[in-house]
Amino acid sequence: MKRQPVLHPGLNLGSADEYSHAQSEPVIFGFWVFLMADLVLFAILFATYASMSVQGQAGGPSPTDVFDLPSAFIETMLLLSSSITFGMASLALKYKADRLHLVFWLVLTFCLGAGFIAMEVRDFWIMTQQGAVPQRSGFLSAFYMLVATHGIHVTAGLCWMIVMLVQLWLLGRTTEVKLRLMRLALFWHMLDIVWVCIFTFVYLFGVAL
Amino acid sequence: MGTLTPQDISFVQTFENPVMSEFIDGAAGSVLVLGIIIVTVLLTYYRGWKTLWFDWLTSVDHKKVGIMYIVVSFVMLARAIIEGVLMRYQQSIAVNDPGVLTPDHFGQLFSTHGSIMIFFMAMPFITGMINYVMPQQLGARDVSFPLLNAISLWLTAAGAALVMISLVVGKFSTGGWTAYPPYTGIEFSPGEGVDYWIWSISLTSIGSTLTGVNFATTIYKNRAPGMTLFRMPLFCWTSLCTSVLMIFAMAPLTIATLMLALDRYAGFHFFTNDLGGNMMNYANLFWLFGHPEVYILILPAFGVFSEVISTFSGKTIYGYKSLVVATMSIAVLSFTVWLHHFFTMGQGANVNAIFGIATMLIGVPTGVKVYDWLLTMVRGRIRLTTAMLFSIMFLITFVIGGLTGVILANPPVDFAVHNSLFLVAHFHNMVIPGVLFGMIAGYQFWFPKAFGFRLSERWGKASFWCWSIGFYLTFMPLYALGLMGAMRRTVEWFRPEYLGWLQVAFIGALLLFSGFIFLCVQLVSSVRHRDQRRVPAGDPWDGRSLEWSNSAPPPEYNFAVIPKVSGQDAFTRLKEQGQAYVSPATYEDIVVPKNSMVAPVIGVGAIGLGFALVWHIWWLVAVSFVIIWSAVIARSFVTETERVIPASTVRADHEAWLAQVRECATTPREQEDTSTNVGRAEVLA
Ligand code: HEM
Ligand SMILES: [Cu+2]
């Protein structure tokens, strides 16, 4: 039976791996739908932030007072490069028969992601030292909620990556493992996009306005 | 433990403060505890634990998951109806008199009643119904993600369990089903009540999001060959729209409850009065969910009515395409009207006008549907079965409710009757005929498919009359009361002219309750006489879609061979072309998912998590969290998740059933309710 060439947007396993390719259709499609639901969640958080960032300051610190733009920029770079390295991992998944390349890129992605989280935690720490805690104002509540929800997602992605590394080691490149890696990739790239929005609308706009 | 003390147990409270209100609370708790004990004893006596665990709780079969959803819903319905009757009783005697319930207890009652009816009665009912029916109508063997399906069930059940626990341990919220801050903030509601609300709702909202993803994927990716979207039965279309709404609309609720939790637990300022908080954000978020929610509930019921009316009129549904378009329009429009729930809360006149008009617009596709259903019945050979009676009563009553909805959509009118019993009458006028009648009709309709025997029509009709007359008696007086100025959520009145109306409403509520009792009697009586009511051939109503083409109850893989579909009303076509009940040329091995205890483990973890959060028992929070995620991760290491049913077994079972069907006499429609109906329909044409 001839298969449809492209089954879902994103990197397909394609002719390199017919069986997994066929298995992937509902799984990957379902995950896209799930990501959509997750994006609605972020959209709501952005809307909340938009409505509280200016009106909810309550005489407390304003974005200019507390945002550390250089740090946020470095975080952006870390996360963007982690997307590239995950892209390399996906290519290794599709074209390389060995585990080594894949593991290498995944570990690199993990380190970049962990660096991102470490810097974010450091930012939060510095902010709280300055008295900019979420309990201070509506603006800060909305800020922490939005950025930390993203951070928790990234942390979940890191945990997932560890699980996948263990599975690669224990189970090898089975179809299941491949499909999970493809979903993790989608998840990771989505978080990247969300971060780009956070960097733009929260940090850049916040400091510029 | 945490903030939990012995004084929080409801029996202790009743003992220390033996007044009527406490006594009722204690009695409710006792009924719950007693119920659990009786079920436990019965299960032990009949050695049912093994069956329960291996055949049901760990099952991931969409049919069993669906039935379990409906069981949850029935249990919760029983509680919430009793609460409704109790509130009606209180109000009917509380004219210049404090009545039997304290204001606080009354507040808990409308909060649990509303929350249960929406989240733990209606939602599980529609989800269960879709679960049971939709994959079979598509010609599929299961939903796309069977384990996820079971996990959603268990998250919902965990939420329901928390509400039940609040009956015995501590108090529930008094903030209504909407839980508006700042009243529900820590300042004005310091106790555990709102926390119960927050965590039970959060759990089911996550479950429903996952359900939406699962159903949408199933409908897009899991249809039988030839089952194009425009050949799907309408129930599948409405399920699809409902799933899409779930995917988009549950997130605002989840976020709103979590923000409320952060305000309460960690001193954030999302919805507080001071330091930049803004409760209007809550109102917007809640109704951004809340309005689509009513369509999440009602669209599947519309699907049921479409199937029931077309089947019992013996005709193809009239205006199939227009019904699909109307369903889609309703789904889209439902996101554009949320503001009508707070016209009075400070927007300008223009904003109100726009949302008022958008609200009225929804009447148009709904009207299209009503006409389509009516025209389906025109020149049909109508059989007034219980399911059909509920559907007809729906048509009449729902139109009245819709008209009062259009009245309320006028902002100036809404200013006058906002938050009055007029509103209470209106939304019950939508949800009872719309959702509840729809689900009861669906239950009557598909019960024989699920369990292999028909329900008693006599008891069904008795129940129908109670529900219908009871509905009018209970809720029509509320329109009048609302116009006279009676406000909702009121525990005591000071206007003697309300009395008569309230007493009529109470009598109506008793009738509604008898309607529920008759449903239970119907079930028991039908089970006892099931041998005369069996329909092994699987098609008791001359059904039109694929779920009727297999045995009753169906095998776990639904279809021995995946059917090929050549048009709308797939099974009717097969019957008319003489292609039904034909032995397939070949059989193949069928792969089905194995049972898994992951879902129940997650469910128990979720109950623990919610309970621990309510009572600030932090170590239990940590333990439950670890249990839940360990279960998920451990599961991902299991490689043998499927089981193969060999082709020879499938062949043997299927051929045996086919042989039995060929033996069965065909039933003409007039004898549908007699023991001659063994599930093989007479084919005219
Ligand atoms: C079956 C018989 C029912 C009876 C006797 C009943 C009775 C009541 C009563 C007395 C109230 C309180 C009205 C007030 O605020 O003064 C109420 C509220 C409510 N009911 Fe029902 N009801 C019934 C069915 C339903 C159903 C089927 C649903 C939904 C599917 C439902 C959803 C609600 C909601 C959402 C509220 C508002 C709760 C709040 O104020 O937050 N009810 N009902
Ligand atoms: Cu609405």
Side-chain angles (χ1 to χ4, degrees):
Chain A
M1 198 167 73
K2 192 88 187 98
R3 295 230 161 73
Q4 302 293 320
V6 176
L7 295 169
H8 49 80
L11 186 70
N12 285 263
L13 289 168
S15 54
D17 189 347
E18 282 253 7
Y19 177 69
S20 323
H21 187 54
Q23 296 262 299
S24 69
E25 182 164 347
V27 179
I28 303 287
F29 178 86
F31 198 72
W32 274 96
V33 178
F34 167 76
L35 289 183
M36 196 151 69
D38 212 21
L39 276 179
V40 177
L41 204 125
F42 278 110
I44 303 278
L45 291 178
F46 273 109
T48 308
Y49 180 77
S51 77
M52 303 194 96
S53 60
V54 180
Q55 264 126 31
Q57 289 178 8
S62 70
T64 8
D65 299 333
V66 290
F67 289 171
D68 181 354
L69 213 47
S71 173
F73 180 73
I74 299 175
E75 282 161 38
T76 311
M77 287 303 129
L78 283 174
L79 210 56
L80 284 181
S81 30
S82 82
S83 247
I84 298 178
T85 53
F86 209 130
M88 299 305 288
S90 299
L91 289 176
L93 180 68
K94 181 165 179 176
Y95 293 113
K96 300 270 199 258
D98 64 325
R99 257 184 291 189
L100 198 64
H101 280 85
L102 186 54
V103 170
F104 170 76
W105 289 115
L106 278 181
V107 171
L108 197 57
T109 312
F110 181 88
C111 294
L112 291 167
F116 169 87
I117 289 294
M119 294 224 20
E120 185 162 78
V121 171
R122 179 182 148 276
D123 280 359
F124 283 178
W125 174 250
I126 294 174
M127 278 177 72
T128 51
Q129 290 316 94
Q130 297 169 343
V133 290
Q135 289 81 0
R136 177 61 192 82
S137 69
F139 149 60
L140 287 166
S141 298
F143 167 80
Y144 278 100
M145 176 92 181
L146 170 58
V147 179
T149 303
H150 176 266
I152 292 170
H153 272 75
V154 175
T155 314
L158 292 175
C159 295
W160 188 353
M161 237 174 260
I162 296 177
V163 172
M164 289 324 298
L165 284 168
V166 176
Q167 294 199 343
L168 271 173
W169 174 49
L170 284 180
L171 309 176
R173 292 168 45 119
T174 62
T175 301
E176 273 299 318
V177 170
K178 281 184 197 161
L179 292 180
R180 286 183 192 139
L181 281 169
M182 287 168 72
R183 277 173 281 174
L184 177 55
L186 291 175
F187 185 67
W188 198 255
H189 297 313
M190 180 204 70
L191 291 178
D192 212 10
I193 295 170
V194 172
W195 178 261
V196 169
C197 294
I198 292 182
F199 185 63
T200 315
F201 295 113
V202 176
Y203 285 94
L204 290 182
F205 278 41
V207 174
L209 293 177
Chain B
M1 281 198 307
T3 51
L4 185 60
T5 62
Q7 266 70 36
D8 290 315
I9 311 294
S10 82
F11 310 119
V12 178
Q13 286 167 5
T14 314
F15 187 72
E16 289 183 348
N17 179 19
V19 296
M20 195 57 186
S21 197
E22 285 295 340
F23 186 72
I24 293 174
D25 193 32
S30 321
V31 170
L32 175 64
V33 173
L34 213 72
I36 294 175
I37 293 175
I38 292 176
V39 171
T40 315
V41 169
L42 284 180
L43 274 173
T44 313
Y45 183 76
Y46 289 106
R47 297 171 199 286
W49 287 105
K50 260 195 172 155
T51 325
L52 182 70
W53 179 256
F54 290 107
D55 286 359
W56 292 92
L57 299 186
T58 58
S59 172
V60 297
D61 178 345
H62 72 98
K63 298 184 286 303
K64 289 189 172 159
V65 171
I67 291 170
M68 284 190 278
Y69 262 115
I70 293 175
V71 170
V72 171
S73 151
F74 245 77
V75 173
M76 300 311 279
L77 176 63
R79 171 170 170 194
I81 288 192
I82 295 173
E83 287 174 336
V85 175
L86 196 56
M87 283 189 286
R88 287 265 63 88
Y89 176 61
Q90 160 74 16
Q91 291 195 333
S92 72
I93 59 169
V95 179
N96 285 321
D97 183 291
V100 292
L101 300 173
T102 59
D104 196 62
H105 194 184
F106 190 77
Q108 287 184 52
L109 284 176
F110 64 68
S111 307
T112 42
H113 167 83
S115 309
I116 289 178
M117 281 294 193
I118 302 283
F119 294 106
F120 301 112
M121 189 287 286
M123 283 297 260
F125 217 145
I126 60 132
T127 313
M129 196 74 80
I130 298 177
N131 244 315
Y132 194 88
V133 176
M134 178 266 287
Q136 295 192 62
Q137 287 196 329
L138 293 177
R141 293 222 161 103
D142 208 323
V143 293
S144 287
F145 309 112
L147 179 63
L148 187 69
N149 199 17
I151 293 175
S152 305
L153 164 72
W154 278 90
L155 289 176
T156 304
L162 277 185
V163 182
M164 283 311 210
I165 290 173
S166 79
L167 210 50
V168 179
V169 188
K171 298 199 174 320
F172 199 75
S173 165
T174 50
W177 84 282
T178 49
Y180 274 3
Y183 176 72
T184 49
I186 197 75
E187 212 178 317
F188 302 103
S189 301
E192 69 282 1
V194 178
D195 301 329
Y196 266 123
W197 184 85
I198 289 177
W199 300 117
S200 54
I201 300 304
S202 302
L203 288 175
T204 70
S205 75
I206 295 171
S208 299
T209 313
L210 299 176
T211 299
V213 172
N214 206 344
F215 286 168
T217 310
T218 308
I219 296 176
Y220 281 121
K221 294 290 171 190
N222 221 356
R223 301 188 306 270
M227 180 64 86
T228 58
L229 285 174
F230 275 90
R231 286 178 187 167
M232 292 197 306
L234 272 157
F235 185 74
C236 293
W237 270 108
T238 55
S239 306
L240 178 61
C241 291
T242 282
S243 324
V244 173
L245 290 181
M246 283 179 175
I247 293 165
F248 284 101
M250 298 316 290
L253 177 69
T254 317
I255 290 292
T257 54
L258 290 182
M259 284 177 174
L260 188 58
L262 284 171
D263 274 8
R264 291 176 57 85
Y265 284 77
F268 280 44
H269 289 285
F270 287 111
F271 312 126
T272 53
N273 284 335
D274 54 347
L275 290 177
N278 184 352
M279 83 71 64
M280 282 314 294
N281 278 344
Y282 183 90
N284 275 292
L285 288 180
F286 186 84
W287 290 112
L288 207 48
F289 145 79
H291 192 88
E293 166 73 5
V294 300
Y295 290 97
I296 291 177
L297 298 180
I298 220 151
L299 289 179
F302 284 176
V304 173
F305 293 129
S306 306
E307 306 292 319
V308 167
I309 290 177
S310 133
T311 305
F312 290 114
S313 303
K315 275 177 68 189
T316 312
I317 190 90
Y318 181 89
Y320 175 87
K321 285 233 166 86
S322 66
L323 278 166
V324 172
V325 174
T327 309
M328 280 292 183
S329 328
I330 291 178
V332 173
L333 282 175
S334 74
F335 278 103
T336 65
V337 301
W338 78 91
L339 199 131
H340 62 211
H341 294 275
F342 45 93
F343 277 146
T344 55
M345 282 160 78
Q347 304 70 223
N350 291 337
V351 174
N352 278 356
I354 290 170
F355 279 89
I357 292 168
T359 303
M360 293 178 206
L361 276 182
I362 294 197
V364 176
T366 316
V368 169
K369 292 188 148 212
V370 171
Y371 282 110
D372 280 336
W373 288 318
L374 290 176
L375 289 168
T376 305
M377 288 193 275
V378 170
R379 303 233 177 100
R381 295 178 67 212
I382 296 179
R383 289 112 66 194
L384 291 178
T385 54
T386 310
M388 188 64 173
L389 284 174
F390 271 107
S391 308
I392 294 173
M393 189 49 83
F394 149 79
L395 281 176
I396 301 165
T397 316
F398 192 76
V399 168
I400 301 176
L403 287 176
T404 61
V406 174
I407 295 175
L408 281 170
N410 279 289
V413 178
D414 185 72
F415 265 72
V417 289
H418 177 77
N419 257 358
S420 71
L421 288 187
F422 190 90
L423 171 87
V424 174
H426 159 68
F427 71 70
H428 282 91
N429 202 336
M430 305 309 273
V431 286
I432 292 184
V435 181
L436 201 56
F437 285 10
M439 290 304 113
I440 297 177
Y443 160 77
Q444 307 282 336
F445 187 52
W446 281 301
F447 186 94
K449 172 76 352 186
F451 294 99
F453 55 94
R454 284 171 291 111
L455 285 171
S456 150
E457 285 287 318
R458 204 148 50 89
W459 287 111
K461 284 177 184 158
S463 168
F464 162 77
W465 287 111
C466 287
W467 277 106
S468 314
I469 300 173
F471 170 78
Y472 280 93
L473 280 184
T474 314
F475 290 102
M476 291 301 141
L478 298 201
Y479 280 120
L481 282 164
L483 293 177
M484 289 157 72
M487 300 310 280
R488 73 191 285 199
R489 298 179 180 167
T490 306
V491 66
E492 187 181 347
W493 314 99
F494 301 98
R495 305 258 307 264
E497 63 269 31
Y498 291 172
L499 189 64
W501 298 103
L502 288 166
Q503 283 168 339
V504 174
F506 172 59
I507 295 171
L510 287 179
L511 270 178
L512 286 174
F513 184 62
S514 345
F516 178 73
I517 295 293
F518 284 149
L519 281 183
C520 301
V521 175
Q522 179 196 37
L523 183 61
V524 173
S525 140
S526 312
V527 170
R528 287 182 53 194
H529 303 289
R530 60 186 176 281
D531 284 335
Q532 296 107 59
R533 328 190 118 261
R534 286 204 193 276
V535 286
D539 179 25
W541 315 125
D542 193 12
R544 311 182 73 81
S545 38
L546 286 175
E547 79 272 27
W548 302 108
S549 71
N550 54 20
S551 60
E556 66 169 323
Y557 42 80
N558 292 354
F559 299 97
V561 177
I562 295 288
K564 292 210 175 26
V565 178
S566 60
Q568 224 180 298
D569 286 336
F571 185 47
T572 301
R573 267 167 191 265
L574 291 181
K575 283 189 279 191
E576 283 171 0
Q577 295 160 356
Q579 299 291 312
Y581 313 117
V582 178
S583 295
T586 55
Y587 290 89
E588 281 176 14
D589 291 352
I590 296 177
V591 181
V592 293
K594 276 188 189 166
N595 282 15
S596 160
M597 58 186 275
V598 171
V601 169
I602 290 180
V604 172
I607 296 178
L609 185 67
F611 188 77
L613 282 166
V614 169
W615 295 102
H616 300 235
I617 309 171
W618 303 119
W619 62 266
L620 185 57
V621 173
V623 170
S624 314
F625 188 83
V626 170
I627 289 179
I628 293 173
W629 285 103
S630 315
V632 173
I633 293 175
R635 162 73 184 193
S636 73
F637 284 87
V638 180
T639 45
E640 301 287 310
T641 58
E642 286 170 336
R643 183 162 57 87
V644 176
I645 302 177
S648 53
T649 315
V650 179
R651 171 193 297 273
D653 291 349
H654 192 59
E655 291 295 340
W657 175 68
L658 283 177
Q660 190 186 3
V661 174
R662 289 182 199 119
E663 298 276 293
C664 289
T666 58
T667 314
R669 288 305 96 206
E670 304 79 59
Q671 290 169 25
E672 214 163 42
D673 189 31
T674 62
S675 55
T676 51
N677 185 355
V678 288
R680 179 143 190 217
E682 184 183 67
V683 181
L684 311 165

